Amino acid sequence: MTSAENRVVIRAPHAGMVRVEDAPEAGGVALVLAPGVEVLLQPGDLDAAAYLTRLAAAIATARGRLHRPA
């Protein structure tokens, strides 16, 4: 679980919030999840690659749970 003091909750998600932008200040790209919520990714960073793999798996799990019959 996340620490309550560092928690960000996106209450009204919509597809337009998510995008990828160049992040020259970080030498890579920013995965923007919501206004003010960005994940900075740098080329060659193995942790970033693992993060994206784990994120993709979590997205698939969340999608499955949303479509599961009650």
Side-chain angles (χ1 to χ4, degrees), residues 4 9-10 14 16 18 33 49 52 57-58 65 68-69:
V9 178
I10 302 168
H14 59 87
V18 178
L33 301 177
L52 290 174
R65 289 183 181 181
R68 186 182 331 171

Side-chain angles (χ1 to χ4, degrees), residues 24-45:
E25 72 282 3
V29 297
L31 173 61
V32 180
L33 301 177
V37 181
E38 300 178 3
V39 180
L40 296 175
L41 305 166
Q42 297 177 325
D45 183 346

